[in-house]
Every structure is written in C-alpha cells, then in structure tokens.
Amino acid sequence: MSLQTELQAADPGRIEAAGVSKAFTTGRGTVLALDNVSLKVAEGEFLCLVGPSGCGKSTLLNLIAGLDFPSSGRILAAGQPVTGPGRDRMVMFQEHALFPWLDVIGNVLFGLKLKPGLTPAERREVAAYYLSLVGLEKFHHANIHELSGGMKQRVALARALAPNPRVLLMDEPFAALDALTREQLYGDIQKIWQARRKTIVFVTHNVREAVCLGDRVVLFSPNPGRIRAEFQIPLPRPRDINSVELARHATEITAELKGIQSAGEVSE
Amino acid sequence: MIRTISSLVFFLILLGSWELASRSGAWSPMVLPPPSQVAEYLWQGLSDGSLGEATLVTMKRLLLGYGLGVLAGVPLGLLTARFRVLQDTLGLLALGIQTLPSVCWVPLALLWFGQSEAAMLFVVVMGTLWSVLIATSDGVRALPPIYLRAARTMGSNGLHSWIYVILPASLPYLVGGMKQGWAFAWRSLMAAEIFVTILTGFGLGQLLQYGRELLAMDQVVGVMTVIVVIGLLADRLLFSPWERFFHKRWGTGSVG
C-alpha cells in the first residue's frame, strides 16, 4: 500500500441495523436499552441520532462500533455482520479519550502503527497530514493537557481519521465544549466530511447541532429505546447554526422531543 | 538559584547551631558529637576505605534485593489486577504483609538462611515486593476504561493493549510504588544489618552498630549522614527524573 493510496479517502461505508435489541442487566433488573430498532445508513450519509438520555442512541453507536453486541438482531457494516471493532469504523468519544502518556502526534500515530503496510516515515506523514487537516500542524509535540478542550477534540478527530475509516462514529463529541468552539467545529467537521467522503453517525442530545450537521435526523424515545421519528434536512451546506431555516427544522424536532419527554413524565 | 541558596543557608544554619550546641558544654561530646568531629570521622573513614567498602556491600545487597523485588512485583501486580481470583488471594496477602514492617522478617530469615547474604536478600525482597505489587495492581485498576475502549477501536487488544496502553497508563502509580518499595527496602536492610552480623561483608548498618558498641557517636552520626545522603541521591537520580516527566506529560503537580 503506497502513501498516495493511503491518503486517498476510503470509499464511505454502509451500515445497517436489523431488528436490533439490547438489554442490560443491572442490580435493579433488566433494562431494554434498544427495542427492535432497524436503521439504514447510506454510503456517505451524515446521520444524526437524537433523543433524551437513556434512549439508547449511544448504545446503538457502541454496537455499530463493535464495542458491544446486540441481544438480538444484527448489525451489518458493508453487508458484513459486525463481530468486533474494526479500522473501517472509527469512534470519537465525548471525553476525548486521548492518551496522556503520548504527545499529540503520538496519539494520532497510535492507530496508524496498528495498520499494516506502511513504513514508519509514511505513518508520520499520514499523521502530519491529518493534524494539518484539523489545523494543528504546529502542535505535533504538545502534551495533551496543554491543549484546550476544542484542540483536544481536534486531535481526537485526527486520530479517528488517520487510519482512513469508511465510517466515523461520533458520540456527543462536542458536548463538553463552549458554544463558540462548538460552532467552529461544526464548520470544520462539515468541510472534512465533504473532503474525505465519510459516512458519519453522530449522536447528540442537541437538536440544533443535529440539524446543522445531519442529512437526516433520527429521533429516539426512551424506555425502551425506539426510533420515534425521522427528519430529512435538505438544507444547503455549509450550514450556519444560527440561520432561520435551520431553526425552523430544529423547532419541529424539538416539539416532537418535548412530546416524548412529557409522555415520559406522565408514565412515571 | 534562589532555591539553591535557601537550601544552602538552611543547612549552614542547622550545622552551625549544632556545632555551637555541642561546644557549649551542655552535653557531653559522647552524647552529641559536634559536626566537625563527625566530618573528621567521615574523612578518616573515606581515606582508610572502611566507609567506601561498607557502602559498597550495602548497596550491592540493596540493589540486588530491590531489583528482584521489582522484577517479581510488577508482573505479579499486573496479574493480580487482571485476574479476580489473584486479587482476592495474592492481592489480599500482599495487602496484609505490606502492613508488616519488614524487619519482622529478620528472625525467620535467620532461621531459614542462617547468618548469610541470603538472609539479607530475603529481608530486602520482602520489603520491596509487596508495595511494588500493590502499587502496580492499584495503578492498573485505576485505569479509566475509556482508554481501553479507544484502543480497541484502533485495533489494539490483548498483549498490545497491555504493553502500549495499560502499562504506560499506570506508570505514575508504578513509579510511586517503586519509590515506596525503595524506601521500604532501604529501611529493612538497615534494620537487618544492625541486628545481624554477616561475616561475608560489613555493611553500613553494621558500621553503625559498631559505633554504638564502641561508644563512638561520631561514627554513628557519620554513618547516619551517609545513609541520608544515599537516600537523597537515589531519590534525585532514580525517581525525580521520572516524576518530572510525568508532571510534564500528564500535567499533574502544579508545585514543583
């Protein structure tokens, strides 16, 4: 595998969840985190999963990542059953999950070193490419704790992109950031998504964020986790989170979300 | 620079008041030898080679026993963290034995190994092993699970995860445990050397004990000084560089 092919974007992947249920057994009994959820994510689609906490959206992401397995039903990546984590599906976590014992480029290299067929020099070049893609070309040897929250998530993004996955799974990656930093990252992630042609599954509880980023927004309801509604977002890109059009879509979804939450309060 | 000066001034004042106190005649020089007399002993001990030889004997015992303790303690700690069964058995045993001052092993060591180097070695290993084991195991178990999850998504698992994630992530704990192990080993060896005469080599502890028997308090205080200096040097050379690296990398420790 040459450096050139490595730096070319891998073809975006296809994800399918077919009749997926996931039950967790806790001290207080069994919780059905996902109940018979079916979902298809097309090649190159930017899909956002939204819902109140406990609706199973992060659980579904973990199942797609292969970090956990469904109690019943199947998860398919490119038509193949998911049997564990794979370099074709990289994950970005809410907590940046960067390794504090490595510097910035060491973190980006971690996954690359596990990828066969590259020389050390080529790996460094790939890592440098992704660090400049996220605007951190001057921070190769910075320590993780020296970075701001936004910069940490940029490193985490570069680390996830570096092994050239077909699918990017993002679990509330911007939830812990301030509003201004978040808005910058919305712009960046849209640019990178278009440039690198990834399929992205993005979990968030922030409806505006979902509308700003997603081609499609899937709304989950909790107890048990089910798909409640789907919304197409046919807005042109790049999108501005403060635009009126975007707000209109967000209001529609928020109304539906409030319906879920008040129903939950009544049933409790 | 200011820190060096303040250290220097502090020790000069300490030595100065000690010298004055000894010379005031309030205490017999037998009870409180002045630093000048201690320095004289040190000079003499260094020039006739007795101090150097004792230091060599002690350091050999210490490094060998400590090395063995670390070599066994780290892997055992990793295994203890990994397997619940070991945690409930070996881990519990380690926790119990760790509370035992390792000088308590001296009678048994003498019974088992006689007045030999092996007895010394045993006491030092007992001082090191358990604290290193516990620190390693604690370090691994304090590891945030997110690191391993992130590593798994990048294709790391099994042995690779142990070497490239778990071990480096728990290094600060590990070095903390090694430092504690060093202190325990050092203390237990001194206690053992003071209690037991080993004919194959006279260590610092024995030199100190002879000083006591001869009522040569300048020798006792002189050997104590050597022990303190070695302890300080070990901390500065063996552990401080690591700790500085951790503080810099992890961003811990604002006071440094």
Side-chain angles (χ1 to χ4, degrees), chain B residues 14 34 37 63 94 106 119 129 138 160 180 184 199 203 229-230 235:
Chain B
L14 192 70
Q37 202 182 324
L63 289 177
V106 171
L129 175 66
D138 283 354
H160 185 276
Q180 198 192 11
F184 284 0
L199 294 174
V229 168
I230 291 176
D235 189 68

Side-chain angles (χ1 to χ4, degrees), chain A residues 62 66-67 85-87 89-91 93 95 97-103 110-111 114 143-145 159, chain B residues 143 146-156 160 164-166 168-169 245 247-252:
Chain A
N62 281 335
L67 288 168
R87 264 187 293 275
R89 290 159 281 123
M90 291 296 289
V91 187
F93 300 92
E95 320 94 82
L98 297 172
F99 300 145
W101 57 92
L102 299 172
D103 58 9
F110 187 93
L114 283 156
N143 294 315
I144 300 305
H145 71 91
R159 179 173 78 168
Chain B
L143 185 80
I146 187 88
Y147 291 154
L148 276 177
R149 286 162 64 84
R152 278 178 64 202
T153 64
M154 291 183 277
S156 166
H160 185 276
Y164 292 100
V165 182
I166 295 173
F245 169 74
H247 287 331
K248 196 167 168 302
R249 248 306 148 69
W250 265 257
T252 49

Side-chain angles (χ1 to χ4, degrees), chain A residues 104-186:
Chain A
V104 164
I105 196 157
N107 269 280
V108 179
L109 281 168
F110 187 93
L112 282 171
K113 284 184 180 161
L114 283 156
K115 195 169 181 173
L118 287 167
T119 67
E122 284 170 340
R123 292 197 172 101
R124 292 200 90 80
E125 209 163 318
V126 173
Y129 168 80
Y130 285 102
L131 279 174
S132 37
L133 193 69
V134 298
L136 290 175
E137 59 274 13
K138 292 200 180 111
F139 293 90
H140 285 195
H141 297 293
N143 294 315
I144 300 305
H145 71 91
E146 295 164 342
L147 306 177
S148 68
M151 287 159 88
K152 282 178 190 149
Q153 283 301 26
R154 282 170 199 270
V155 179
L157 180 60
R159 179 173 78 168
L161 289 170
N164 208 3
R166 295 168 188 277
V167 179
L168 197 56
L169 304 169
M170 306 174 83
D171 192 0
E172 304 198 38
F174 307 144
L177 304 177
D178 64 89
L180 209 65
T181 310
R182 265 207 309 264
E183 279 185 34
Q184 274 175 359
L185 281 163
Y186 294 152

